[in-house]
Amino acid sequence: MLLFFARSYKLLLSVVIPVFKSERSINILYNQIRDTLEKEAISFEIIPVSDASPDNVWQVLENLAKTDVRLKPILFKNNAGQQQATLCGIDHASGDFILTIDDDLEFSPADIPTMLRTLQDSELDLVYGVAQKKEQKGIKRFSAKIARGIIGIFFPRLRYLESFRIFRKDIRTTINNKKKFILDFEYSNGKIKIGKCDVSHNKRMFGESNYSMFGSLHIWFTFLFRYSFIPHLTLALLLVLQFLCSVNLVASLLLASPIVFLYIKYRLQTTDAYLIEKRINE
């Protein structure tokens, strides 16, 4: 019995869930995580972070937390975005290992023990759960493949990029010492060892993705102008082109102005600070 508790404590896992418009799925996800980790004798805490969700998901979390002190929900006063909800959960995690998973049930908690073992049995610092085949609609699946291909070219360390990830708590310091923008890109150029684990993928059970076309564009522009050398190279090429071709100065400025505007906007942007309204079982 003592061995069981010692082993469980050593394997303490924090599961962080950014939550938005998921009142129908969060109960199912909680039950799946709890049952899976209890079966594997892994001690854990679950930290769902409600990003000022307009539905009744917070009421669902409050009721669940009354019956399980390992469930530690956090409620935002303001809508700060999925990245900030994830980072907030990471900030408040106490586990030796931290796992993040979305609230839409597309990734299965049944794969969590395998991801944990993959991380433990290696010298990796972070492991992404990567599905070989995603149960998504054709257009979304096609666009995801294109996005992954682009990321693989310009950010090769993030070719496995997924929101389903597990990492050692040691790298949390690396994240917290940086400005908090997009979690993965903040350490994409560091010395953190990154790997992957094959996982399953399910069809979305409820509703549609919370990311609109404009929301996705915003993320992509942030990737491009904050973390990539491409804008620098483009501006340099425009200047060289102007010099070689003797292009009219006004025309050159008009040509370069959209890139300059986006570059300044995304390089100087600040994150939406999250404000915590309530915490339970902290």
Side-chain angles (χ1 to χ4, degrees):
M1 183 64 70
L2 289 176
L3 179 61
F4 167 79
F5 280 109
R7 183 172 180 269
S8 296
Y9 179 78
K10 184 178 180 181
L11 295 178
L12 181 63
L13 177 68
S14 295
V15 180
V16 174
I17 311 170
V19 173
F20 193 75
K21 294 183 179 179
S22 54
E23 62 177 311
R24 291 186 291 174
S25 62
I26 196 64
N27 197 348
I28 300 172
L29 180 60
Y30 160 73
N31 287 329
Q32 290 179 352
I33 293 172
R34 180 200 61 198
D35 293 347
T36 297
L37 297 182
E38 285 183 349
K39 182 179 179 181
E40 295 289 330
I42 299 171
S43 63
F44 64 92
E45 62 179 359
I46 303 175
I47 308 176
V49 183
S50 175
D51 187 25
S53 183
D55 60 2
N56 294 318
V57 68
W58 180 252
Q59 286 71 29
V60 175
L61 290 171
E62 278 189 313
N63 291 331
L64 289 172
K66 292 176 182 177
T67 63
D68 190 347
V69 295
R70 298 168 299 183
L71 184 64
K72 304 176 180 181
I74 298 174
L75 174 64
F76 281 0
K77 286 184 179 180
N78 60 315
N79 179 250
Q82 182 183 14
Q83 290 295 320
Q84 292 304 300
T86 302
L87 287 164
C88 174
I90 292 171
D91 285 345
H92 291 88
S94 58
D96 290 336
F97 302 94
I98 302 172
L99 179 135
T100 67
I101 185 171
D102 289 343
D103 59 357
D104 54 18
L105 301 174
E106 290 191 11
F107 286 108
S108 173
D111 291 311
I112 294 176
T114 303
M115 292 176 66
L116 178 59
R117 285 192 292 269
T118 300
L119 187 59
Q120 284 186 296
D121 297 341
S122 68
E123 296 183 354
L124 298 171
D125 300 301
L126 179 149
V127 170
Y128 287 109
V130 179
Q132 295 302 311
K133 181 180 179 181
K134 287 196 171 185
E135 298 294 333
Q136 295 175 325
K137 295 180 180 179
I139 295 177
K140 186 175 181 180
R141 183 168 61 247
F142 178 71
S143 61
K145 285 184 177 180
I146 293 177
R148 190 171 301 283
I150 293 173
I151 289 174
I153 293 172
F154 296 109
F155 304 96
R157 283 173 54 80
L158 296 180
R159 60 189 180 278
Y160 304 132
L161 179 65
E162 285 289 358
S163 58
F164 193 25
R165 54 170 99 76
I166 185 169
F167 53 89
R168 302 178 189 275
K169 68 177 180 181
D170 299 340
I171 74 170
R172 180 171 59 180
T173 304
T174 304
I175 298 168
N176 289 347
N177 284 341
K178 295 177 178 288
K179 289 183 178 180
K180 297 175 181 178
F181 278 86
I182 297 176
L183 172 63
D184 306 271
F185 284 78
E186 293 294 357
Y187 52 68
S188 62
N189 295 319
K191 297 180 180 179
I192 293 172
K193 298 176 182 177
I194 301 173
K196 71 161 186 168
C197 176
D198 291 336
V199 299
S200 57
H201 191 268
N202 308 307
K203 289 183 179 179
R204 178 182 288 269
M205 292 180 62
F206 305 106
E208 298 292 334
S209 172
N210 291 318
Y211 277 108
S212 66
M213 181 181 70
F214 293 106
S216 298
L217 283 175
H218 173 72
I219 291 176
W220 274 105
F221 279 136
T222 302
F223 287 174
L224 183 62
F225 288 93
R226 185 167 184 83
Y227 298 100
S228 173
F229 66 90
I230 295 176
H232 307 74
L233 181 61
T234 303
L235 288 173
L237 288 175
L238 285 173
L239 291 174
V240 171
L241 182 64
Q242 175 191 344
F243 175 77
L244 293 177
C245 301
S246 299
V247 177
N248 180 275
L249 178 60
V250 175
S252 298
L253 291 175
L254 288 174
L255 183 64
S257 58
I259 299 175
V260 173
F261 170 77
L262 290 171
Y263 179 78
I264 294 174
K265 172 180 170 60
Y266 285 94
R267 290 294 292 186
L268 299 182
Q269 74 171 328
T270 57
T271 56
D272 295 327
Y274 60 77
L275 300 173
I276 296 177
E277 180 175 335
K278 192 173 183 180
R279 292 177 61 193
I280 300 176
N281 294 334
E282 55 185 283

